[in-house]
Amino acid sequence: DAGVIQSPRHEVTEMGQEVTLRCKPISGHDYLFWYRQTMMRGLELLIYFNNNVPIDDSGMPEDRFSAKMPNASFSTLKIQPSEPRDSAVYFCASSPTGQNNQPQHFGDGTRLSIL
Amino acid sequence: GQNIDQPTEMTATEGAIVQINCTYQTSGFNGLFWYQQHAGEAPTFLSYNVLDGLEEKGRFSSFLSRSKGYSYLLLKELQMKDSASYLCAVRDVRNRDDKIIFGKGTRLHILP
């Protein structure tokens, strides 16, 4: 079975450039989550969607970050303009309806470096 | 707000037993997860507790005390492949908001 698929796996770009991260959740999963992981702050929830609708975006750092989910099989996280402090590993995760004891399934992450 | 605390690092010996503790504070507690994350990889699910008590799954067990806001992950018969970070995560449900908050993780080093 295909898991959560993220692209690209690695991204290196200069500050000021636009960065777009992509995620395909597991088919049939109604929840999609975007996380950022750094050594200092650990795994932070940025935003999550339920049935393609953003539910909680309180973790989005600032207006430079935006996320969309145009359909059940695709989501993007965009940073514009990017800054060196945005360097981190960005994970996408999905889970089935009515989480309860259903764990989140994580993609392999995108390792982002902003120079 | 939410707060999850766990030790930053621990070291144990192959074949031994280790207990990783986690304390949490949240007003909408509705379950606790443990995840394992090897370096450079994604977190993977280990266990889930919502009721007080011990859940055993092979070499790994997880305990929860809701009244104390406390959980631990117990790893027995340690193997070198158990060297990883272990993340404690709490499910926080308030009104329509239902999300999982992660601790910063405990890096476990296994010595031969």
Side-chain angles (χ1 to χ4, degrees):
Chain A
D1 289 342
V4 175
I5 299 172
Q6 291 186 244
S7 65
R9 290 294 308 277
H10 304 271
E11 174 97 13
V12 180
T13 191
E14 293 184 347
M15 63 178 294
Q17 298 297 307
E18 178 179 288
V19 173
T20 300
L21 311 181
R22 297 173 177 81
C23 176
K24 176 179 169 55
I26 293 173
S27 178
H29 283 192
D30 293 334
Y31 286 82
L32 184 141
F33 306 82
W34 282 102
Y35 289 91
R36 176 173 68 177
Q37 188 173 38
T38 61
M39 287 292 291
M40 288 294 295
R41 301 173 68 90
L43 196 62
E44 302 174 278
L45 177 65
L46 300 177
I47 185 171
Y48 79 94
F49 297 82
N50 181 15
N51 290 319
N52 313 340
V53 176
I55 302 300
D56 185 347
D57 65 355
S58 59
M60 296 285 263
E62 47 198 272
D63 292 345
R64 298 184 297 105
F65 285 68
S66 62
K68 295 182 180 179
M69 192 165 186
N71 57 62
S73 59
F74 183 66
S75 177
T76 59
L77 177 68
K78 189 171 292 187
I79 308 173
Q80 167 63 18
S82 58
E83 297 182 2
R85 59 188 168 133
D86 302 330
S87 298
V89 180
Y90 290 81
F91 286 104
C92 175
S94 70
S95 67
T97 299
Q99 298 183 49
N100 294 323
N101 66 337
Q102 295 298 317
Q104 296 179 359
H105 299 261
F106 284 78
D108 289 334
T110 295
R111 280 149 187 79
L112 178 63
S113 295
I114 308 297
L115 306 177
Chain B
Q2 306 110 351
N3 193 36
I4 301 174
D5 289 313
Q6 49 182 132
T8 304
E9 284 189 273
M10 298 183 70
T11 302
T13 305
E14 189 176 16
I17 298 174
V18 71
Q19 178 175 311
I20 303 174
N21 296 324
C22 171
T23 58
Y24 63 88
Q25 292 176 308
T26 181
S27 56
F29 178 83
N30 200 353
L32 185 143
F33 296 84
W34 282 96
Y35 282 78
Q36 181 190 59
Q37 185 177 23
H38 284 101
E41 297 182 9
T44 56
F45 170 74
L46 285 178
S47 68
Y48 172 77
N49 296 70
V50 68
L51 300 177
D52 287 356
L54 189 68
E55 295 281 342
E56 297 188 74
K57 191 184 294 185
R59 295 188 299 113
F60 293 4
S61 303
S62 56
F63 172 83
L64 176 67
S65 169
R66 295 180 65 145
S67 61
K68 296 181 179 179
Y70 168 69
S71 172
Y72 68 72
L73 180 69
L74 191 71
L75 292 75
K76 303 176 185 177
E77 301 170 17
L78 286 170
Q79 302 175 10
M80 297 304 293
K81 67 178 182 178
D82 298 330
S83 292
S85 285
Y86 292 86
L87 308 176
C88 173
V90 170
R91 185 175 175 217
D92 187 43
V93 180
R94 301 182 218 182
N95 301 318
R96 289 182 59 240
D97 201 359
D98 182 354
K99 59 191 177 188
I100 295 176
I101 309 298
F102 283 80
K104 292 184 179 179
T106 299
R107 285 192 300 279
L108 177 63
H109 305 279
I110 308 298
L111 303 177

